Amino acid sequence: MQYASDHALAATATGILAALWFAWTVRHSGPWTRLLPVAGVVVACGVVVIAVVAAVRSWPDGTVVTGRVVAIYVAALLAHGGLTRLCTGLIASRYRRAVAAAKDADKAGVTAGKPRLHLIPTVVALSTAIQVAIVANTLDVPILYLGAAAGILAALAAWPLGWVLRAVTRPRGHRSTAALAHPLTGLLTGAVLVVTAVWVLLPPP
């Protein structure tokens, strides 16, 4: 059985993830494009506030959240976080070893394994989509599975979109595909999460 409070909790969790992604994107955006992720943070925080209020108001109507459910979710969250950290660590391991082996004066010029670091935001974005699916399973909110699928597509689409954007803007700048793909990953992932949170909050037809 689905409860309004669980939908509100799902929207809260998804909105928080969106705010974190937009906040991360601010650091990887130029001065003229920074307005988009900043606006995203504001919108995501607004959605979170609305979702929290909705959860509090509807809590007496029932919820699937019990001590056992919370314990299972925390265990899944820790396992998922550990796996994500392991994957990103493996991606960065070659570069870190090269930096550790280089002399202090040469550390800034180390390139071994450095291109792999550009994959970390994509891996974390895919991990975020899996996290949304975990929330969907925990709170019994099937609509979140669609948000998780959209999140996977957004994470994978950022790189080809970055390549296209680089080809279009190349006469005016020389930013690499990775430099464009990173903020696109944050913007697309954050946008998918915000839309998913709002969708979950809307009353069923």
Side-chain angles (χ1 to χ4, degrees), residues 1-203:
M1 181 177 180
Q2 296 184 41
Y3 297 97
S5 60
D6 297 330
H7 277 243
L9 288 175
T12 301
T14 310
I16 290 173
L17 290 173
L20 292 174
W21 268 105
F22 281 128
W24 175 84
T25 307
V26 171
R27 298 175 52 196
H28 296 270
S29 302
W32 296 106
T33 57
R34 198 162 292 161
L35 182 61
L36 283 175
V38 170
V41 171
V42 174
V43 172
C45 289
V47 171
V48 169
V49 171
I50 294 172
V52 169
V53 172
V56 172
R57 288 181 175 176
S58 58
W59 192 263
D61 298 334
T63 178
V64 300
V65 178
T66 63
R68 181 173 178 273
V69 169
V70 171
I72 292 174
Y73 176 71
V74 170
L77 181 63
L78 292 175
H80 176 246
L83 182 60
T84 301
R85 182 67 185 87
L86 176 63
C87 290
T88 56
L90 288 174
I91 291 173
S93 60
R94 184 182 176 189
Y95 174 72
R96 289 174 177 171
R97 288 196 301 268
V99 170
K103 297 180 180 180
D104 291 341
D106 300 328
K107 290 185 184 296
V110 173
T111 58
K114 196 170 184 178
R116 296 182 184 179
L117 299 180
H118 298 313
L119 296 175
I120 290 179
T122 302
V123 170
V124 177
L126 293 172
S127 176
T128 301
I130 295 173
Q131 179 61 32
V132 172
I134 293 174
V135 174
N137 181 70
T138 303
L139 296 177
D140 190 21
V141 182
I143 197 174
L144 277 184
Y145 289 117
L146 295 177
I152 292 174
L153 292 177
L156 297 178
W159 279 93
L161 285 176
W163 182 85
V164 171
L165 189 60
R166 181 193 178 200
V168 171
T169 61
R170 195 165 187 176
R172 289 170 288 173
H174 301 283
R175 298 183 69 186
S176 65
T177 299
L180 295 169
H182 287 179
L184 282 172
T185 299
L187 286 174
L188 292 174
T189 302
V192 165
L193 291 169
V194 164
V195 171
T196 301
V198 173
W199 192 8
V200 170
L201 276 178
L202 292 175

